[in-house]
Amino acid sequence: MADQNGQIDLGPPREAVAGVGFPAPPPPIYACTLTPELVAKAREELQEKPEWRLRDVQALRDMILKDHPNLRTRLDDAFLLRFLRARKFDYDRALQLLLNYHASRKAWPEVFQDLKPSTVKHVLDLGFLTVLPRPDPHGRYILCLRPGKWKPNDYPFVDNIRAIYLTLEKLIQPEETQVNGIVILVDYTGVGLSQASNPGPLLAKKVVGILQDGFPIRIKAVNIINEPRIFKGIFAIIKPFLKEKMAERYVLHGSDLASLHRVIPQSVLPQEYGGVAGRLDMSAWSRTLLGAEEEFVVEFCQPDPLEGVVMPDSMLFEGEQAGAHGEDSFRHLRSQLYYCY
């Protein structure tokens, strides 16, 4: 919920960082903050056993130090737990996720170079995204995206991706989110041909690659509302890159708010979406993210963590070698967009 300063609290009270409404970064010595209910949920859904938790973290740490000794990455318990939880405590898959997490920065410098909240303030001011102040009954925070607010002549689309990534980084800090996951709500009101055709398949592939295989967060549902006819073409760009499980989590509601309320209760939705939680406030999340500037400077505005590291043959992104094929696909999909429009 929003605090008195209009910032959003994503977890139980901890020692606060000056000027930041979120819980402080984890202490050097890990201390579990999960409730007994969430401990039980993590055991059931993530195969997390409290009595083995630190042993599992040490096992992942040992793998990193042995197989990738030059990788400049955080090795503290709280950080490594994110990757173990995202891959249900499978050591090998957690390690691959960590490598992908760092490889994405090297593969996409236009997103990750100088990545900090102040560089996306214009995106936040435009109202492209926010996080609803109340989680749903399952404890999942709701990331609300409004792509119709952006126009191609406003700024490059990649700035939207930068803002989304910073938001995910902030959301994943509390342990509650690592266990519960998040929900994404996308409102396509105002989206026309210019917005739909701008990203293209190569950009879509990179975004989906990060969300599915390069970031330690559990996306439990993607709810699409007010999608226009043109959404057929938009989804045609995205769907080839979605894993089957993720594709099944996309729910199209159209303008049927009753359908939306069956999966997200009105008690957590703003009035704009038929809810009773007040008007949609875009500023609270903006203040929260901008207030975390220093921690992102430490996290992202540093030397390349992969410098001198030999990566596995299976990299997260294929790079520009798929460029020609991607352009051919894009021309075909663009014709579909015009048809739908």
Side-chain angles (χ1 to χ4, degrees), residues 6 26 41 60 74 87 94 101 127 129 204 244 247 272 275 277 288 308 316:
K41 183 176 183 178
L60 178 58
R74 285 174 53 184
R87 291 298 180 261
Y101 174 82
L129 67 77
E244 183 178 358
E272 289 82 351
T288 297
L316 176 60

Side-chain angles (χ1 to χ4, degrees), residues 25 72 74 105 114-117 292-303 305:
R72 288 196 291 267
R74 285 174 53 184
R105 303 190 195 186
D114 195 32
L115 184 59
K116 53 188 176 182
E293 179 85 359
E294 285 191 19
E295 67 185 68
F296 284 109
V297 169
V298 171
E299 188 74 23
F300 289 102
C301 303
Q302 303 295 328

Side-chain angles (χ1 to χ4, degrees), residues 22 111-112 114-121 123-124 129 131 143 159-173 215 285 288-290 292-293 295-297 299-301:
F22 276 84
V111 169
F112 293 97
D114 195 32
L115 184 59
K116 53 188 176 182
S118 60
T119 64
V120 298
K121 185 177 183 299
V123 179
L124 302 172
L129 67 77
V131 175
L143 169 58
D159 289 1
N160 293 327
I161 299 170
R162 287 164 63 88
I164 292 172
Y165 195 91
L166 286 169
T167 292
L168 295 178
E169 282 283 353
K170 194 64 183 168
L171 282 172
I172 201 60
Q173 288 181 353
F215 196 86
W285 181 254
T288 297
L289 204 56
L290 291 169
E293 179 85 359
E295 67 185 68
F296 284 109
V297 169
E299 188 74 23
F300 289 102
C301 303

Side-chain angles (χ1 to χ4, degrees), residues 12 32-44 48 50 53 175-176 179-180:
C32 182
T33 61
L34 298 176
T35 64
E37 293 76 16
L38 285 178
V39 169
K41 183 176 183 178
R43 182 188 291 271
E44 179 180 352
E48 177 176 345
R53 185 188 290 127
E175 293 191 281
E176 294 82 353
V179 174
N180 291 325

Side-chain angles (χ1 to χ4, degrees), residues 20 61 67 82 149 170 188 218 229 233 248 268 338:
V20 180
R61 185 184 294 115
D67 299 337
R82 301 178 189 179
K149 292 292 182 180
K170 194 64 183 168
Y188 272 90
R218 305 174 71 206
R229 289 177 57 197
E248 291 173 351
V268 303
Y338 276 103

